[in-house]
Amino acid sequence: MILNPVDTILSLVLLSVLFAFGASRIPGLIKVIAFQGIVVSIVPFFIGHEMALGGTVFTIATLIIRGIIIPMSIYIAIKKVAIKREVEPIVGFHASLLFGLGLIVAATYISRELNIPSVSDFTLLFPTAIALLVTGMFLLIARRNAIAMVIGYIMMENGIYLIGTTISVRARHIVEFGILLDILAGVMIMAIILQNIKQTFDDVDTANLRTLKE
Amino acid sequence: MVEIVFLTPFITGIIAFFLPKAIGRSFLVGTGAIHLCLSLLLWKNRPEAFFKNYFAVTPEGLLSLLVISLLFFLISIYTISYLKESEIKSENIFTGSMLLFLSTMTMVTLSDHIMVMWIAIEATTLASAPLIFTYRTPAALEATWKYVLICSVGIAMALLGSVFITLAMDIGNVDAPLSFSALTEVAKEINPTWLKAGFVFILVGYGTKMGLAPMHTWLPDAHSEAPSPASALLSGVLLNCAYLGIFKTNKIMHAAGLGDFSGTILIVFGLMSILAAATFILKQNEYKRMLAYSSIENMGIIAFGTGIGGIGVYGAVICMIHHSLIKSSLFLSSGNILLGYGDRFIRNTGDMVRRMPKTFIAFFGGFAGISGFPPFGIFIGEMFIIVGAFRAGHYVAASIFILSLCVIFAGFANQAMKISFDDYKKGDPDKASHFKERASMVWPQFILLLTSLILCFYMPDTLYQTIIDAVTAIGGGLK
């Protein structure tokens, strides 16, 4: 089997997913989502669906927002308002990594079973998309740091974007609206900044966001 | 022009951000009145939309729209007095967000396109987040954060569900616009496997917003931290809007002959929500959180009824209307309780029957209505659902349903009695409450409860016909 360029860069994304499972500090995770954001938004250019002008504009906008603006704003946020850099795992790093490996195997197996005709040329497309989605959810659940949760959310968005842009032209028109999800991510980042300006102590452990029970 | 109905509050909302307090308040009521008139006109004429592919007047949309309009108008009258009594710092943000919230919810009810619906539901999250953050306390910030995070994940899931529906169309070689009405027509040709996957993701996504367990965790926090008029809106109409998204997708499922599949999932989620509410309502010590759990229960009832099909769907729609009317009146009353006692814990209230007699009538009437006492509509709705469940042979599910309703009633009754009749221990009993029950702070509740009462005995023909039109599309009806 000869790898095409799409699969080559997607294999790097899969590696970055594993890195995200093992990353203990926020700056590393920021680099991961910046990289994934850029890769995920340029993949549609290589898939071979015809691309209208509007589509190109959307793709570039996504590239700028996911690859540059959001990672930068998170980076500035943690610099300016002294936020804890540790991700504070609920599930340990070894267990996380093991889960990540299992996830990639399962994702590959499932995508083979699903057998979607339009993406059958690219072996790694669907596995990567599923891996991104589940990794994002995992970070949302298994990390206590609020920034890490936002990063998980963005990773999930990237997964959805990858699925949508590649399976069909019509689906691509839909996930282009996913850009609106970034507004929500922006609101979350703002909430974290607000939280930290308010607090005298300097961490965004969501355990502090847990005084409301049930 | 259908679009005017949601453009009006949108424009006034944006203007309200820049207005001083006094004008902003009258803006709120004025827009509410105009909106109500426009909705009634829409009911009468049922015109076609200007952008036909994106918006349409559907029976289920009309039902929700009328509820939204009526509720918003009454709530806005209450809000004026509430704003005078309570100290909210930047009031223009509050009024502006209320109006934008109204606009986005109206857009949900009128949208016919899958993506317009999705955008509108996302916009409701954005418009309502500032409302929850109104008091600017750490707890309010936490509730807002939780609300935005959990609902965003839900919205992302719904987006994925929409992607799967387009995939189902591609595999089935269907070429149709992505609108609910067009998809319902061609539903038979859509690939069933991916349509099912799409439905599940959309149900989980919008279900998060609707407050179905286990995705309900944002709801008690958001409802308890928001100012009472905003809680009334959140609980009374926002949850319905999310339900509308599920309802319309369910229509496609029924047209595709997959009604059993979607029904089973709805029953499971519905029962889970009712059970979750029954578990948590027993030990609530804050009255607004208790009301929030009751909302989760009612959303569970609605999902359950929709899943049952037949007469149950009719019951679910009845429950939806009456829950909106009664629950928003309860939340408004809870605003009075908060202003009167200055405390959100049940243990620090008491003796409401003498301290605030009018609020007591509104609160207790609402309590009776929401727990399903006969003169109110929830009773009829729940009866229909239970009868429908037995007819369809869901004996176990129906038993769990009835048992949970009893538990919730017990929990709710216990707390309502404490608030109303217990001695007021905390403060000085001789000192009269400084809180005056203005007419504008009790009459909205009375009108809401009265509407619910009247609708039980007399339902206008157009209303009845619209409900029937809405429910027949998903296998419901009074047979």
Side-chain angles (χ1 to χ4, degrees), chain A residues 137 168 180 195 209 211 213, chain B residues 122 141-142 157 170 289:
Chain A
M137 291 233 213
S168 75
L180 295 173
Q195 164 86 0
L209 292 173
T211 37
K213 297 243 165 58
Chain B
E122 195 206 305
L141 181 63
E142 179 189 337
M157 288 292 132
D170 281 338
R289 292 181 78 83

Side-chain angles (χ1 to χ4, degrees), chain B residues 102-292:
Chain B
L102 172 68
S103 158
T104 52
M105 288 190 298
T106 312
M107 194 167 149
V108 174
T109 61
L110 294 175
S111 60
D112 188 39
H113 193 272
I114 289 187
M115 286 326 286
V116 175
M117 170 80 109
W118 181 84
I119 293 169
I121 291 187
E122 195 206 305
T124 57
T125 314
L126 282 174
S128 51
L131 293 178
I132 300 173
F133 187 50
T134 305
Y135 286 127
R136 313 216 168 161
T137 56
L141 181 63
E142 179 189 337
T144 316
W145 153 261
K146 220 169 167 181
Y147 173 60
V148 175
L149 183 78
I150 296 174
C151 287
S152 305
V153 174
I155 297 271
M157 288 292 132
L159 181 70
L160 191 61
S162 314
V163 168
F164 285 156
I165 288 185
T166 59
L167 182 64
M169 287 168 71
D170 281 338
I171 292 180
N173 270 327
V174 179
D175 191 31
L178 255 181
S179 64
F180 287 106
S181 46
L183 281 178
T184 312
E185 276 164 30
V186 295
K188 282 258 180 300
E189 298 153 44
I190 301 177
N191 177 290
T193 320
W194 286 102
L195 184 59
K196 279 183 196 168
F199 176 77
V200 172
F201 276 95
I202 287 184
L203 176 65
V204 171
Y206 294 154
T208 310
K209 194 97 202 215
M210 183 180 162
L212 292 180
M215 299 88 72
H216 66 281
T217 43
W218 63 272
L219 199 143
D221 296 341
H223 284 54
S224 63
E225 291 303 326
S228 296
S231 317
L233 268 188
L234 281 171
S235 176
V237 277
L238 175 67
L239 306 183
N240 292 355
C241 286
Y243 170 67
L244 206 58
I246 297 171
F247 189 98
K248 289 190 171 185
T249 322
N250 197 13
K251 245 165 124 177
I252 304 177
M253 293 294 282
H254 270 271
L258 300 169
D260 286 341
F261 174 80
S262 61
T264 316
I265 299 182
L266 278 167
I267 290 176
V268 170
F269 272 106
L271 277 184
M272 275 203 286
S273 313
I274 301 170
L275 279 173
T279 324
F280 287 115
I281 207 167
L282 286 177
K283 52 173 191 171
Q284 281 314 309
N285 46 16
E286 292 177 31
Y287 44 86
K288 279 179 92 178
R289 292 181 78 83
M290 177 181 77
L291 294 179

Side-chain angles (χ1 to χ4, degrees), chain B residues 25 42 50 59 62 64-65 93 98-99 109 145 198 228 239 266 275 280 297 313 346 365 368 405 431 447:
Chain B
R25 288 174 187 169
L42 216 61
F50 190 69
L62 277 178
S64 313
L65 180 64
I93 296 183
M98 286 281 270
L99 289 169
T109 61
W145 153 261
S228 296
L239 306 183
L266 278 167
L275 279 173
F280 287 115
E297 174 219 353
V313 190
I346 292 172
L405 287 190
K431 203 175 131 195
I447 295 173

Side-chain angles (χ1 to χ4, degrees), chain A residues 136-200:
Chain A
M137 291 233 213
F138 182 86
L139 289 184
L140 272 171
I141 297 165
R143 299 288 181 261
R144 215 173 285 144
N145 185 314
I147 293 271
M149 289 167 93
V150 175
I151 288 176
Y153 174 69
I154 293 164
M155 215 177 270
M156 218 176 87
E157 270 180 32
N158 283 337
I160 294 173
Y161 190 78
L162 192 60
I163 294 181
T165 44
T166 49
I167 52 177
S168 75
V169 177
R170 196 184 284 150
R172 198 178 69 217
H173 292 316
I174 285 194
V175 286
E176 276 161 3
F177 289 108
I179 248 180
L180 295 173
L181 290 174
D182 294 325
I183 304 175
L184 293 172
V187 174
M188 286 181 226
I189 297 169
M190 259 170 56
I192 294 170
I193 295 173
L194 277 175
Q195 164 86 0
N196 281 272
I197 292 170
K198 277 183 180 296
Q199 280 180 354
T200 41

Side-chain angles (χ1 to χ4, degrees), chain A residues 37-74:
Chain A
I38 291 169
V39 169
V40 160
S41 35
I42 57 170
V43 161
F45 286 115
F46 296 96
I47 295 292
H49 294 310
E50 78 276 23
M51 196 78 136
L53 179 69
T56 320
V57 171
F58 260 111
T59 314
I60 292 170
T62 317
L63 177 82
I64 293 170
I65 291 175
R66 300 255 166 90
I68 300 164
I69 295 179
I70 288 187
M72 281 298 277
S73 53
I74 298 178

